[in-house]
Amino acid sequence: MQTMMTRGAAAGLLLALLGGCASLAPDYRQPELPVPAGFTNQVSDGYASAAKSVNELQANTLDENAWRQWFADPALQATIAKALANNRDWRIAMLNVEKARAQYGIAAADRWPTLSADGSGTHQRRPADNGGQPQVSHDYAAVVGISGFELDLFGRVRNLSDAAWRSYQASGEVERSARLSLIANVANGWYALAAEQERLKVAEATLASRRDTQKLIERRFAAGISGELELREAQTQAETAAVDVERYRTQVAQARNALQLLVGAPVEATSLPAGWQDRAVPGVPPVPGNLASDVLLARPDVREAEQRLRAADANIGAARAAFFPRITLTANAGAASSELSQLFQAGSGSWLFMPQISLPIFDGGRNQSNLDAAKADRELAVASYEKAVQTGFREVADGLAQIDGDAGQLAAQARVLAASGQALKLAQARFEKGVAGYLDVLIAQRSHYSAQLVQIALQQQQAANQIGLYKALALY
């Protein structure tokens, strides 16, 4: 009974040694946000009137299809979905996560003993001695055991495993950041194509209108009503519009090529924008005017920086553990015999128990330098975390300011467009009646054409700014 108690105590001590290791890593403390507590920008009433808050929206970030709520156009949804399936940069990001997961598995495996079964046979012939007969010997062995397992008394292996885990988690945030960027880039490319198509449509309509005016002036010139100067001006304006048509056709083709590169595959015609006017801007989620800065903590770049910081803490623990003794254990049990047939017979049992301890005495300052480097890495990680937070704060603040300004610009430009269109109609009517000269028509045409292009540019800017805010808030 006493022997059994002794064995039980020994087993308990061994388990304590295996599982009760201490950690010398510093306690993790999340750095304070180096930005104001909230965003002072007050967005327009129409934008902030919706019921959902950003915090509620960020609760859906684990839903891989949450982006469909903010990009509601079916054609755009099909384009983004195809990009997520084919984009090469996104594929590389996913493969890097798989690699990090495997590297963590390697590091985690070091926390457990490796159990192996080995069988061996040795056959040896020795030459004859003093005229005797040559000697042939046979040795057989079969053992099960562990080799070189470190008893992690000071948490070195555990901290290395934790560092690998944090690196794996950080790679996951890099993947999410790449996914978020891909969605935003595809949406921007899609709306850029829509804008180029709308510019082409406006240029074609302008060309048709100017050709009609040119024909009218040619008839008036033939009748002696208009002079050659008006005729040449009309021809110049028509050909200038023709140049614009060809330029915008090229830009439409280039925008389509850029979108297909992002998608990683040809984009079907049904997934391309049919036109700008019947396409609403992205349905960016509502943003309350009293938005707090802690929404930045959901950004993947901030979460990546935090995981890197946690990994740096773990590396400090591993560097500190290097100052303490390392105990490794090799042990096996099995059977050995000179005859294969007697390998598992009674009396053939064998065992080996070989603990080893290594105590650092003098290393030329290597361990201290490693610890200093680990501490410096942590300070770098803190700085990177703070920079990520500050970058996110600026992006969100800029986005809030931009969407509020976009609404005012578009409203003002709509009035400019309406006024320029009415002025063009009046100028054309006066010219056709002979009340005014062609110069008035020419000025009105240029103003209205410019107003149309400015409106398209502002609409594209509004879409890009709302997509940028969507990305800055990391709403996935």
Side-chain angles (χ1 to χ4, degrees), residues 49-72:
S49 61
K52 288 186 177 180
S53 69
V54 172
N55 290 332
E56 291 173 330
L57 298 171
Q58 288 176 337
N60 296 324
T61 56
L62 296 180
D63 181 3
E64 294 184 353
N65 293 316
W67 57 268
R68 293 182 181 273
Q69 301 177 47
W70 323 127
F71 301 102

Side-chain angles (χ1 to χ4, degrees), residues 187-308:
N188 273 319
W190 194 88
Y191 279 102
L193 175 57
E196 295 297 349
Q197 290 176 337
E198 191 64 20
R199 291 187 182 97
L200 176 60
K201 186 187 300 183
V202 169
E204 289 174 338
T206 300
L207 174 60
S209 175
R210 291 182 181 180
R211 289 296 189 196
D212 291 340
T213 302
Q214 178 185 351
K215 292 177 182 178
L216 175 61
I217 294 180
E218 287 174 347
R219 291 194 297 268
R220 291 168 64 95
F221 176 75
I225 300 174
S226 296
E228 185 178 359
L229 178 60
E230 289 184 340
L231 176 61
R232 300 309 175 196
E233 285 287 354
Q235 291 174 342
T236 300
Q237 294 305 308
E239 296 307 325
T240 300
V243 171
D244 286 349
V245 167
E246 295 303 321
R247 176 161 58 90
Y248 288 130
R249 282 177 181 168
T250 300
Q251 292 178 189
V252 166
Q254 291 174 334
R256 185 183 296 111
N257 293 338
L259 180 61
Q260 289 184 346
L261 177 62
L262 278 172
V263 172
V267 181
E268 296 81 1
T270 55
S271 299
L272 295 176
W276 185 268
Q277 299 299 338
D278 57 348
R279 299 290 183 181
V281 295
V284 177
V287 181
N290 58 346
L291 190 62
S293 297
D294 58 5
V295 300
L296 300 173
L297 298 179
R299 286 171 55 102
D301 57 339
V302 174
R303 294 198 293 197
E304 177 199 354
E306 183 175 12
Q307 295 297 336
R308 302 289 185 197

Side-chain angles (χ1 to χ4, degrees), residues 104-127:
Y104 164 67
I106 295 172
D110 290 338
R111 298 180 62 178
W112 302 96
T114 300
L115 183 66
S116 61
D118 299 293
S120 64
T122 303
H123 309 277
Q124 183 178 13
R125 179 183 183 278
R126 297 183 178 87

Side-chain angles (χ1 to χ4, degrees), residues 80-161:
I80 292 176
K82 192 166 189 177
L84 290 173
N86 294 281
N87 183 269
R88 300 312 189 266
D89 291 334
W90 167 238
R91 187 177 301 174
I92 290 172
M94 290 190 294
L95 292 175
N96 282 331
V97 173
E98 293 297 323
K99 178 181 177 181
R101 182 185 293 116
Q103 291 173 334
Y104 164 67
I106 295 172
D110 290 338
R111 298 180 62 178
W112 302 96
T114 300
L115 183 66
S116 61
D118 299 293
S120 64
T122 303
H123 309 277
Q124 183 178 13
R125 179 183 183 278
R126 297 183 178 87
D129 186 16
N130 296 326
Q133 295 295 324
Q135 300 293 320
V136 178
S137 62
H138 305 276
D139 294 292
Y140 301 93
V143 297
V144 176
I146 58 176
S147 177
F149 173 63
E150 181 176 346
L151 300 180
D152 196 24
L153 301 181
F154 303 100
R156 190 188 73 87
V157 178
R158 173 187 170 186
N159 282 311
L160 291 176
S161 176

